[in-house]
Structures are given as C-alpha cells and as structure tokens.
Amino acid sequence: MLIKDYMTQDHRDCDEEFAKIEESVSKKDFKEALSLFKIFKAHTLRHFSQEEDLLFVRFSEATGMSGGPIEVMKMEHNQIRGILEQMQNALENNQQEEFFGLSDAMMITLQQHNIKEEQMLYNMIQMQLNSQNDELLEQLKSFPKSV
C-alpha cells in the first residue's frame, strides 16, 4: 500500500465516523453522540499527528520546503481543532442546533482540506518519499490510537 492511499483511506474512515455522530445527534441521543465524537476526535487528532509529526517533517527534510502547502495544512488543522472543541461543547450541553451549525462548518472545512491533501500534497509526499514508503507506512500504522 502507498502512503497516499493509506492516508486517503484514513480520511474516508473519519468521514464514516462523523456520519454516525450526526445520525445520533439527529435522534437526540447525545450520550451516544458524545461517545462516538470522542472516538472521531481522537482519530482526527491522530491523523493530524501522523502528518505533522512524521510526513510533513520527512517531506520538509527531503525538499527543504517548510512553508507553502505544509503551512497551509497545519493552519487548517488548527482551525479544525477549534471546531472540534466547539462541537464537543455543544454535545456535552445537548445543543442540537449548535452542533449541526458547527457540523456544517466542519464538513465544508474538512472536505476542502482533504481535497487539497489528496489531490496535491499526498502526491508530492509520495513522489519525494517513495523510497521510504514501507518504512513510513509502518511508522504511520504504529501511531498511538489516541493522541
């Protein structure tokens, strides 16, 4: 498996988790929604850590590029982290309307973010780090499940 395929699949897995949260909130099952949300949040933060602490570092070392797309992705990660905190607060306070407002913002932000990674950055990373693919893939898989 290629790094870019592994990371893209991880996006899809997060999307599926998010859909389950929305389903629970639509049923006003906030206890279940919060439980599912905590799994989604941990998964999302793990994914960010895989990128920021491994892939982006190795890519920067290989290319000498530290700004540009990597900085944009890190900035977007921080925006998403903020939305995650607000969403958790809405769930903890059983605020369905607030949650769905934040949910819309999250989906738009994540979709745009994922497209940039999948169509541009992951391909650049794969090209630069292809000789390290198997090693990096093992390191990605060994990241702790909760960050």
Side-chain angles (χ1 to χ4, degrees):
M1 174 177 271
L2 297 175
I3 295 164
K4 66 180 187 172
D5 297 331
Y6 176 83
M7 297 303 286
T8 297
Q9 182 57 52
D10 207 39
H11 284 165
R12 300 300 162 266
D13 294 344
C14 285
D15 291 345
E16 288 176 22
E17 291 171 359
F18 193 77
K20 291 175 186 174
I21 298 163
E22 289 185 316
E23 186 177 316
S24 293
V25 174
S26 70
K27 297 176 190 173
K28 295 188 178 185
D29 187 346
F30 291 99
K31 184 177 180 181
E32 178 182 313
L34 185 57
S35 177
L36 293 169
F37 181 81
K38 288 179 179 178
I39 294 167
F40 167 76
K41 181 180 175 184
H43 190 168
T44 300
L45 295 177
R46 176 183 190 254
H47 182 89
F48 290 171
S49 183
Q50 289 171 311
E51 292 173 340
E52 294 172 1
D53 299 336
L54 180 62
L55 293 180
F56 294 174
V57 171
R58 291 283 188 93
F59 179 75
S60 292
E61 290 170 353
T63 63
M65 183 189 317
S66 60
I70 288 176
E71 281 308 306
V72 171
M73 295 302 106
K74 286 180 179 180
M75 186 176 59
E76 290 178 4
H77 287 174
N78 287 333
Q79 289 175 318
I80 293 165
R81 284 181 180 102
I83 298 170
L84 286 170
E85 293 307 314
Q86 293 175 322
M87 292 177 79
Q88 184 168 339
N89 186 55
L91 289 174
E92 288 170 346
N93 292 295
N94 300 337
Q95 297 172 321
Q96 186 181 41
E97 197 172 313
E98 176 75 10
F99 173 83
F100 279 120
L102 292 163
S103 173
D104 288 344
M106 175 65 88
M107 284 311 298
I108 291 167
T109 304
L110 273 178
Q111 286 174 353
Q112 292 173 347
H113 176 80
N114 291 351
I115 286 170
K116 287 182 255 185
E117 285 184 338
E118 292 168 14
Q119 293 183 358
M120 183 188 63
L121 189 56
Y122 289 166
N123 289 320
M124 293 168 63
I125 288 171
Q126 191 68 55
M127 272 195 313
Q128 287 296 321
L129 304 177
N130 198 50
S131 65
Q132 303 170 47
N133 187 82
D134 294 345
E135 170 202 342
L136 289 171
L137 198 55
E138 286 309 309
Q139 290 179 8
L140 289 168
K141 290 178 180 179
S142 71
F143 265 70
K145 292 292 181 191
S146 61
V147 175

